[in-house]
Amino acid sequence: TFEALRNQTPTVLDVLHAFPSCVPPVERLIELLPPLAPRSYSICNAPGGNVWKIAFNVVEYELTLDVFSLDEEKGAQSVRVSRRGVCTPWLEQLAQTQEKPQILVAKRPNINAFHLPTTSDLKPDPQPVIMIGPGTGVAPFIGFLEQRAHELQLHPQSNPFMWLLFGCRDATLDYLFKSDIQAHVDSNVLTRLSACFSRNAGSFTSAGKYVQDALLANQNEFAELMLQKNAVLFVCGDAKGMGKDVNDTVARILCNYVEQHPEFVRPLLQALPESKLPVDLEAKVLTAPQALQVLMVWSSENRYVRDLWA
């Protein structure tokens, strides 16, 4: 049936293979097929220089499809079909060829203040920086670390705090920029590293299954950095899953922390925008909706900066 076919999420090519009598003109197919959407990739090196580096994952998976035959006796036959993306496999092929053809790249302006706070002789202890970037979301933070390493060469008396929370499935297969990250740890550019591995979360190298688990495990330190030391929080990666989970976890951490430290409730509530709903400035706790409002305030102040994609 049509529903059974649609549930298999077939491509146009799958449909043409399943129904060989269907031979539409190529011109008509081109008219009907939607154009490819632009692909956005984060630059993973510090500003300056003539080379841009990007990171991407090539996702491969298999589906079981029912191939329908015109021979009624044979009926439908199940086959395994491999699936890959469109742009990333093409980039992978380019990276493996000797020739390096030129491709069109459009630079998107950085309009959401997603950049590292600078350090100088006048600011020996710049704002602490917390970076959350699982998977390819770690890419821009490699640029952050390169920039901070350069700044420390110019201002060796500076003592910036930088905390990276990275996550991937498997520590041996998906740990992007592992050697670069470890080099920054060894040189004290990266103050703290929390690496989470969802497929081998029980290993001694894992800080938890997901980055939000590492946040909860260190929630007091995280809250102190944000509430007492004016830290800047950067989040990069998937919007639908990780972005929402991290946002909810940060709000939960705020509620937990101020419950133990009620002296922070009043200044947090005073910073919220005016609302038609009454706000009890003498309250001893922070509600979940109020915590989410705090995050919105931090976002407007560029203290909570996100670069998320669907």
Side-chain angles (χ1 to χ4, degrees), residues 79-287:
V79 296
R80 299 289 291 176
V81 178
S82 296
R83 285 281 189 267
R84 302 184 86 202
V86 176
C87 187
T88 48
W90 176 65
L91 291 174
E92 182 187 33
Q93 291 177 356
L94 291 181
Q96 295 174 352
T97 59
Q98 295 296 326
E99 298 180 2
K100 303 301 178 185
Q102 292 185 345
I103 58 176
L104 177 64
V105 175
K107 185 171 66 173
R108 188 178 66 188
N110 185 351
I111 61 174
N112 61 350
F114 203 93
H115 58 79
L116 185 66
T118 57
T119 183
S120 66
D121 290 325
L122 300 177
K123 296 169 60 180
D125 292 309
Q127 288 176 281
V129 173
I130 305 171
M131 304 165 288
I132 301 177
T136 53
V138 75
F141 301 135
I142 300 302
F144 282 22
L145 294 170
E146 288 184 3
Q147 180 181 344
R148 185 49 50 87
H150 176 69
E151 292 175 350
L152 286 175
Q153 290 179 347
L154 300 177
H155 311 285
Q157 78 288 348
S158 181
N159 186 32
F161 180 92
M162 298 192 73
W163 181 8
L164 172 63
L165 294 98
F166 170 74
C168 65
R169 292 185 178 183
D170 192 295
T172 59
L173 301 176
D174 310 308
Y175 199 153
L176 300 178
F177 302 103
K178 181 178 180 179
S179 58
D180 300 75
I181 292 173
Q182 188 58 50
H184 288 303
V185 171
D186 296 339
S187 61
N188 295 320
V189 172
L190 183 56
T191 315
R192 183 167 183 177
L193 170 64
S194 298
C196 307
F197 310 111
S198 59
R199 293 290 173 84
N200 41 22
S203 69
F204 71 94
T205 59
S206 179
K209 189 172 184 179
Y210 302 111
V211 287
Q212 55 266 31
D213 296 329
L215 273 180
L216 280 174
N218 301 277
Q219 57 181 306
N220 285 340
E221 181 179 2
F222 172 82
E224 289 171 1
L225 287 168
M226 296 299 298
L227 294 175
Q228 299 185 35
K229 298 186 179 180
N230 199 37
V232 183
L233 173 61
F234 294 94
V235 182
C236 184
D238 169 55
K240 192 173 183 180
M242 182 278 302
K244 180 181 183 304
D245 291 341
V246 166
N247 193 74
D248 293 343
T249 299
V250 173
R252 176 181 169 188
I253 288 174
L254 287 179
C255 293
N256 293 344
Y257 188 79
V258 299
E259 186 176 356
Q260 302 298 324
H261 303 83
E263 66 273 14
F264 287 102
V265 176
R266 187 181 183 88
L268 286 175
L269 293 179
Q270 288 177 327
L272 297 181
E274 293 185 5
S275 173
K276 295 181 180 179
L277 298 176
V279 176
D280 182 9
L281 295 179
E282 302 303 322
K284 300 300 182 182
V285 296
L286 195 68
T287 66

